[in-house]
Amino acid sequence: MIKGISIVLVLWGHMIQNLSSGDSYYNDWIFRTIYSFHMPLFALISGYLFYPSQQRRNFLEAVRSRVTGLLVPIMTWTTLDWILRSVLHRKIAVVEWKNIFTGNMLWFLWSIFAADLVLIVAEKLIKTRWGRTIWLATGFLMMYVFPNAELNLFLYPYVVLGFYYKKRTESFLRVKKHGWICILLYITLLPLYKETSFIYTTGISVWKSDVIVSIHMLIDLYRYIIGLAGSIAVIYMCVE
């Protein structure tokens, strides 16, 4: 149910974006609300669901499952999209060829793929807790190896958090105990969400930004916190 809600929110957000003129959607309060947490929620659930599936596989089987389950669909659908655009425009869309490798609108699958590979190495090849901790921290740097690095960096912590939450507990029922705190926190933080809060406008890496470093770090921190608070608030309202 929760994953279905996250998919609906993704579609709803894109509908608002496509029906808006120019960049006016950044000022739409529904759009801001959805985008403040919908992708973190999707990443959190993805990590949560990935844990049990990788448990029954060895290293190579786990990697293969991610390639066939994420990488192949990315390449397949973006190639079909590229072919369709070329046919409709009656010319080879050479400029859009790169979309096959970056995923275009399926960028989030690249982000999940990158995070899952880091998690597979952590669980299958590293035996000590400290070793896993260091490797997971290094995972932030690994996000630059894959396409859409800024977006990968944004979703990576949520995938990892969902994964290890599932590892340490059986279900989201424990969220019921303190979920109301996240609802209050989210409601408090939401009015502060503005155009510079979107990952698409400012990114994650402070050295790539035109914003003052200290301000950018606060934006990143705020973005991570409201994404997590909003995600837990939705989960809290969905679990029984």
Side-chain angles (χ1 to χ4, degrees):
M1 178 181 176
I2 300 173
K3 193 167 186 178
I5 290 174
S6 67
I7 293 174
V8 170
L9 291 173
V10 170
L11 296 175
W12 193 358
H14 282 301
M15 183 179 69
I16 294 174
Q17 190 173 8
N18 292 330
L19 294 177
S20 301
S21 57
D23 294 336
S24 61
Y25 49 83
Y26 283 126
N27 298 316
D28 186 297
W29 70 270
I30 297 179
F31 187 80
R32 290 201 305 270
T33 301
I34 292 173
Y35 271 69
S36 66
F37 72 88
H38 79 309
M39 292 312 298
L41 175 62
F42 181 83
L44 196 68
I45 298 302
S46 295
Y48 182 85
L49 295 176
F50 178 53
Y51 176 75
S53 69
Q54 64 82 36
Q55 276 295 93
R56 57 180 179 268
R57 297 184 173 100
N58 59 36
F59 176 76
L60 291 179
E61 290 172 343
V63 172
R64 190 182 303 115
S65 73
R66 294 294 81 190
V67 171
T68 57
L70 294 173
L71 207 54
V72 171
I74 290 172
M75 297 301 179
T76 300
W77 286 108
T78 50
T79 298
L80 291 175
D81 178 67
W82 177 76
I83 293 173
L84 181 60
R85 289 174 183 271
S86 298
V87 171
L88 291 177
H89 294 96
R90 297 183 179 180
K91 64 178 181 179
I92 303 298
V94 178
V95 176
E96 296 183 1
W97 175 257
K98 65 181 178 64
N99 290 337
I100 294 177
F101 301 100
T102 61
N104 197 10
M105 296 303 291
L106 299 177
W107 63 266
F108 55 90
L109 294 183
W110 263 119
S111 298
I112 301 300
F113 178 76
D116 284 355
L117 288 187
V118 172
L119 287 168
I120 290 171
V121 172
E123 289 297 303
K124 303 299 181 183
L125 301 183
I126 302 176
K127 304 303 180 182
T128 65
R129 179 178 297 181
W130 275 108
R132 288 196 191 106
T133 301
I134 294 172
W135 171 250
L136 292 172
T138 307
F140 281 96
L141 296 177
M142 294 298 295
M143 295 302 104
Y144 286 100
V145 176
F146 300 90
N148 316 303
E150 296 293 300
L151 300 171
N152 299 339
L153 287 167
F154 176 45
L155 296 190
Y156 174 68
Y158 299 109
V159 178
V160 172
L161 184 60
F163 183 91
Y164 282 103
Y165 182 87
K166 177 61 177 177
K167 182 177 181 178
R168 301 185 187 286
T169 184
E170 286 300 314
S171 71
F172 277 123
L173 290 177
R174 290 181 62 183
V175 172
K176 294 290 287 185
K177 190 174 182 180
H178 304 294
W180 61 273
I181 298 177
C182 289
I183 293 179
L184 294 177
L185 178 60
Y186 178 75
I187 293 173
T188 302
L189 292 175
L190 185 58
L192 302 176
Y193 203 90
K194 51 188 178 180
E195 186 171 342
T196 55
S197 303
F198 287 85
I199 182 65
Y200 311 106
T201 60
T202 52
I204 292 289
S205 303
V206 294
W207 58 85
K208 293 184 178 181
S209 174
D210 295 329
V211 181
I212 297 173
V213 172
S214 59
I215 299 299
H216 194 120
M217 292 177 68
L218 288 175
I219 292 174
D220 286 344
L221 180 62
Y222 166 75
R223 187 187 289 130
Y224 280 128
I225 293 175
I226 193 172
L228 181 60
S231 298
I232 295 178
V234 171
I235 294 170
Y236 173 76
M237 292 183 288
C238 290
V239 297
E240 299 180 355

